[in-house]
């Protein structure tokens, strides 16, 4: 079972996020880890512990990572944290690149980010006026100490700074690259200045943009690494950090957040093991255009008479050539070979003395017209099952939430046993969720198996799918329907206690059997020559 960590609010991450060539690291002695939290059973769940490939971080843990990297750069370069943060964002949070560029030409780096030139002292993120001064925006005179600058020579009053920062924050993440209000001044407006000049709401929004920058621009692992991402689950504020081991394998890229939302690290779509990202994209594109699909397929697609590859007619000529390796040339209208076709010579009416006349051509046209209809029937068949498993998966998550929030406690109270003794129900539901997800995407894949060209492979696919589905339905019925019947509100506690061991053994047995059949289905995708969608393009 793959697992993820959920970190405590006040702990810093144990990984500094720097590259192998960096010569400084974080001190992690003070970091405290929560226990490993099981987030979801995934397609690799075979009852054995799998290699840990990712961890789940809450916002406080992400912020601790961000602050730790910022503090380290500030210490190494002897600059304020605000400038260190600007540097890290400029170099996409690659501390190694900062070190290389800074010690190579720090003047160029200072100019690029709006840091004051080195005059032998520590750069100042904000300065307060020491004498009476006029605000450079509203031109009102203020006594000493009531105007401030971004460490440059341009001073503004508090109200003008608040309005300036508010307008920048309203503009979105670009506020992180804010400069002095004077158009000719490149001085950077950094965190320390925002903290003393902006309203509380604007400070919080600025900090939020800065936190998102850490995950979205650098991922805690340097430019282009993309090692950390926000969970795309609805309402979830956690991030997932990928530790490695499978990024190049489309079948091993599913990760699961503590909120139970799973997504593919490779393509960002919902977790879809065991099918490839190409298949998922093709299927979702088809679903998006479903209202137009039927008429379009009838008018624009036919199967190659030789290899049965679906062909789209996107030009006016009737001379069709199937893509390599087939290369068959045929007539779009009558499907005869192009170098010897007679099907377009006239309407195939039987003639005297001609036996069946041109019955063969008439049959060929009828087959062509029915092929698109059969393709649509096949699509509808798989789509209905894809959608049904999707809906069932949503209900499974609702049942799991209800179980964990109150139902298990209620059941435990009825039979007088600790809630921990009902962990078998949670495991069953986790297996059901995994099964619904696998079957859902297996049906998306099944659509692209041609009934004729891929007959043997489709037979294997459907056999394994039927076995897995029957086991899953049996487990789902036991975990949901039989549970509700056994532990109903008016059930006699003595009767429930007598039946509990039998019910537990039954659910555990069904869970193990379902896991085995689902593993067989997944293995067929990943270790046999079942074709991927890319081979059908």
């Amino acid at each position: 079972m793959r697992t993820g960590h959920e970190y405590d609010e006040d702990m810093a991450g144990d990984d500094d996020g720097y590259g192998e060539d960096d010569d400084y690291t974080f001190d992690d002695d003070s970091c405290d880890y929560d226990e490993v939290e099981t987030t979801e059973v995934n397609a690799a769940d075979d009852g054995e512990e799998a290699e840990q490939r990712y961890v789940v971080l809450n916002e406080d843990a992400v912020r601790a990572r961000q602050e730790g990297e910022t503090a380290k750069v500030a210490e190494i370069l002897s600059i304020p944290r605000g400038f260190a943060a600007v540097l890290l964002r400029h170099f996409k949070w690659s501390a190694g690149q900062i070190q290389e560029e800074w010690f190579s030409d720090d003047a160029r780096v200072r100019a690029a980010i709006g840091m004051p030139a080195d005059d032998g002292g520590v750069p100042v993120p904000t300065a307060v006026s020491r004498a009476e001064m006029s605000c450079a925006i509203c031109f009102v005179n203020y006594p000493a100490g009531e105007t401030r600058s971004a460490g440059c020579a341009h001073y503004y009053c508090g109200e003008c700074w608040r309005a300036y920062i508010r307008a920048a924050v309203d503009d979105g993440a670009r506020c992180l690259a804010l400069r002095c209000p004077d158009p000719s001044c490149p001085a950077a407006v950094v965190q320390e200045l925002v903290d003393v000049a902006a309203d509380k709401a604007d400070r919080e929004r600025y900090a939020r943009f800065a936190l998102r920058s850490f995950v979205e621009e650098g991922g805690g692992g340097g430019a282009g690494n993309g090692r950390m991402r926000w969970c795309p689950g609805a309402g979830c504020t956690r991030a997932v950090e990928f530790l490695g081991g499978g990024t190049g394998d489309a079948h091993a890229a599913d990760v699961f957040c503590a909120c139970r939302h799973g997504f593919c690290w490779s393509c960002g779509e919902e977790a879809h093991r065991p099918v490839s990202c190409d298949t998922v994209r093709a299927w979702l594109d088809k679903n998006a255009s479903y209202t137009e699909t039927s008429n379009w397929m009838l008018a624009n697609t036919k199967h190659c008479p030789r290899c049965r590859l679906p062909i789209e007619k996107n030009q006016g000529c009737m001379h069709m050539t199937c893509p390599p390796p087939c290369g068959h040339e045929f007539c779009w209208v009558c499907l005869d070979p192009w170098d010897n076709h007679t099907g377009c010579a006239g309407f195939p009416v039987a003639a005297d003395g001609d036996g069946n006349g041109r019955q063969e051509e008439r049959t060929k046209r009828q087959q062509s017209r029915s092929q698109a209809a059969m393709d649509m029937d096949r699509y509808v068949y798989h789509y209905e099952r894809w959608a049904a498993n999707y809906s069932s998966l949503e209900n499974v998550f609702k049942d799991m939430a209800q179980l964990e929030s109150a139902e298990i406690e209620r059941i435990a109270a009825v039979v007088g046993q600790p809630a921990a003794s009902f962990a078998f129900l949670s495991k069953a539901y986790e297996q059901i969720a995994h099964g619904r997800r696998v079957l859902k995407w297996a049906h998306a894949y099944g659509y692209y198996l041609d009934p004729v060209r891929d007959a043997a492979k489709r037979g294997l696919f459907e056999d394994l799918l039927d076995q897995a589905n029957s086991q899953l339905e049996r487990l789902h019925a036991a975990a949901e329907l039989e549970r509700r019947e056994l532990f109903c509100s008016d059930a006699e506690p003595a009767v429930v206690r007598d039946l509990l061991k039998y019910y537990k053994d039954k659910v555990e047995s069904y869970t193990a059997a379902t896991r085995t059949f689902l593993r067989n289905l997944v293995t067929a995708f990943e270790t046999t020559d079942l074709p991927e969608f890319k081979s059908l393009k």
Side-chain angles (χ1 to χ4, degrees):
M1 180 181 300
R2 290 200 181 104
T3 58
H5 287 169
E6 179 93 23
Y7 284 63
D8 207 347
E9 292 184 356
D10 58 353
M11 80 95 195
D14 74 323
D15 194 316
D16 59 306
Y18 296 149
E20 294 179 357
D21 297 334
D22 300 336
D23 58 7
Y24 50 86
T25 57
F26 289 144
D27 179 7
D28 297 327
D29 294 339
S30 61
C31 296
D32 296 325
Y33 292 87
D34 281 350
E35 295 181 356
V36 174
E37 177 180 357
T38 299
T39 57
E40 181 65 62
V41 173
N42 64 18
D45 182 17
D46 57 1
E48 301 176 358
E49 184 177 358
E51 177 187 4
Q52 178 185 322
R53 298 182 298 110
Y54 60 90
V55 292
V56 179
L57 307 171
N58 59 28
E59 276 194 338
D60 291 324
V62 175
R63 189 174 294 107
R65 295 281 186 95
Q66 178 191 36
E67 292 174 354
E69 293 200 18
T70 303
K72 193 64 180 181
V73 170
E75 178 184 356
I76 293 296
L77 303 184
S78 298
I79 59 177
R81 290 194 180 194
F83 286 117
V86 175
L87 263 175
L88 282 162
R89 288 194 292 269
H90 181 76
F91 288 103
K92 304 300 182 184
W93 294 91
S94 174
Q97 187 179 1
I98 290 174
Q99 186 179 11
E100 179 182 345
E101 296 288 339
W102 180 270
F103 291 112
S104 174
D105 188 353
D106 67 299
R108 180 175 56 83
V109 174
R110 289 170 181 270
I113 68 166
M115 185 189 301
D118 187 8
D119 58 359
V122 177
V124 178
T126 180
V128 177
S129 62
R130 296 182 178 180
E132 181 179 333
M133 193 167 291
S134 174
C135 172
I137 292 179
C138 66
F139 303 109
V140 175
N141 289 329
Y142 288 90
E146 293 193 15
T147 58
R148 66 175 58 249
S149 73
C152 57
H154 308 104
Y155 288 80
Y156 306 92
C157 67
E159 185 60 34
C160 288
W161 269 120
R162 280 191 292 274
Y164 182 65
I165 294 173
R166 182 180 302 113
V169 171
D170 287 342
D171 199 31
R174 285 185 291 183
C175 67
L176 300 176
L178 192 61
R179 300 297 176 96
C180 171
D182 189 307
S184 64
C185 181
V189 176
V190 298
Q191 182 80 52
E192 289 90 340
L193 176 53
V194 173
D195 287 344
V196 298
D199 290 335
K200 179 181 178 180
D202 293 330
R203 292 197 301 269
E204 292 175 349
R205 293 166 65 196
Y206 182 92
R208 182 71 181 172
F209 286 128
L211 186 66
R212 298 199 69 86
S213 166
F214 176 68
V215 174
E216 295 166 8
E217 295 183 4
N225 196 328
R227 201 179 64 184
M228 190 183 295
R229 297 179 186 173
W230 294 111
C231 170
C236 184
T237 58
R238 299 175 181 87
V240 179
E241 181 182 23
F242 202 91
L243 303 180
T247 53
D249 182 356
H251 295 307
D254 284 354
V255 298
F256 295 86
C257 181
C259 70
R260 288 204 170 93
H261 180 78
F263 64 98
C264 173
W265 194 265
S266 296
C267 69
E269 294 290 351
E270 177 189 349
H272 54 73
R273 195 181 186 216
V275 304
S276 71
C277 298
D278 286 338
T279 300
V280 171
R281 279 190 289 266
W283 178 254
L284 295 178
D285 288 345
K286 176 172 285 295
N287 293 346
S289 60
Y290 174 72
T291 56
E292 303 174 7
T293 298
S294 180
N295 290 336
W296 186 91
M297 289 184 67
L298 287 170
N300 296 282
T301 66
K302 294 182 182 180
H303 284 247
C304 170
R306 176 181 292 174
C307 72
R308 293 184 54 79
L309 186 75
I311 302 293
E312 173 189 354
K313 185 179 184 300
N314 56 10
Q315 297 182 19
C317 178
M318 301 300 174
H319 182 181
M320 308 299 296
T321 302
C322 186
C326 177
H328 180 59
E329 297 182 37
F330 61 97
C331 173
W332 175 260
V333 176
C334 69
L335 300 181
D336 274 347
W338 186 256
D339 59 358
N340 183 30
H341 80 282
T342 58
C344 295
F347 188 75
V349 179
D352 294 338
D354 192 25
N356 290 330
R358 304 182 62 191
Q359 181 63 37
E360 182 179 350
E361 285 78 3
R362 184 185 302 113
T363 301
K364 194 179 299 182
R365 282 195 179 93
Q366 292 172 345
Q367 291 174 344
S368 174
R369 287 193 296 269
S370 64
Q371 184 62 59
M374 287 191 296
D375 285 347
M376 177 53 60
D377 289 342
R378 189 170 81 253
Y379 169 74
V380 171
Y381 171 86
H382 287 290
Y383 178 82
E384 288 176 344
R385 286 151 182 80
W386 179 86
N389 278 287
Y390 177 84
S391 175
S392 180
L393 180 61
E394 294 296 307
N395 289 330
V396 167
F397 287 146
K398 293 177 182 178
D399 284 348
M400 291 174 74
Q402 183 181 11
L403 271 175
E404 294 174 355
S405 64
E407 185 65 9
I408 286 183
E409 293 289 345
R410 184 190 70 81
I411 294 173
V414 169
V415 298
Q417 293 189 13
S421 63
F422 293 89
F424 70 94
L425 283 175
S426 296
K427 292 182 179 179
Y429 267 95
E430 287 171 350
Q431 189 62 55
I432 293 168
H434 165 53
R436 291 301 178 195
R437 186 180 293 108
V438 169
L439 295 188
K440 168 186 171 180
W441 289 111
H443 276 291
Y445 166 84
Y447 168 73
Y448 295 103
L449 285 176
D450 187 273
V452 177
R453 185 183 64 243
D454 302 315
K457 293 173 182 177
R458 188 176 180 89
L460 171 63
F461 165 79
E462 291 182 343
D463 181 55
L464 293 171
L465 190 64
D466 288 344
Q467 293 180 41
N469 186 64
S470 62
Q471 295 294 327
L472 180 61
E473 292 295 343
R474 187 175 66 166
L475 172 61
H476 203 163
E480 181 179 357
L481 302 180
E482 294 182 32
R483 170 180 61 83
R484 292 175 178 174
E485 181 178 352
L486 177 61
F487 301 110
C488 61
S489 58
D490 57 350
E492 290 291 336
V495 176
V496 174
R497 282 192 291 270
D498 290 341
L499 295 176
L500 179 58
K501 185 179 185 306
Y502 166 77
Y503 176 72
K504 179 180 179 181
D505 291 344
K506 179 180 182 180
V507 171
E508 289 179 336
S509 175
Y510 286 0
T511 301
T514 302
R515 180 184 299 114
T516 298
F517 281 94
L518 287 170
R519 186 191 307 130
N520 292 340
L521 178 62
V522 170
T523 300
F525 277 92
E526 298 181 352
T527 63
T528 69
D529 62 345
L530 284 176
E532 293 289 1
F533 175 77
K534 59 186 178 183
S535 66
L536 304 178
K537 289 182 178 178

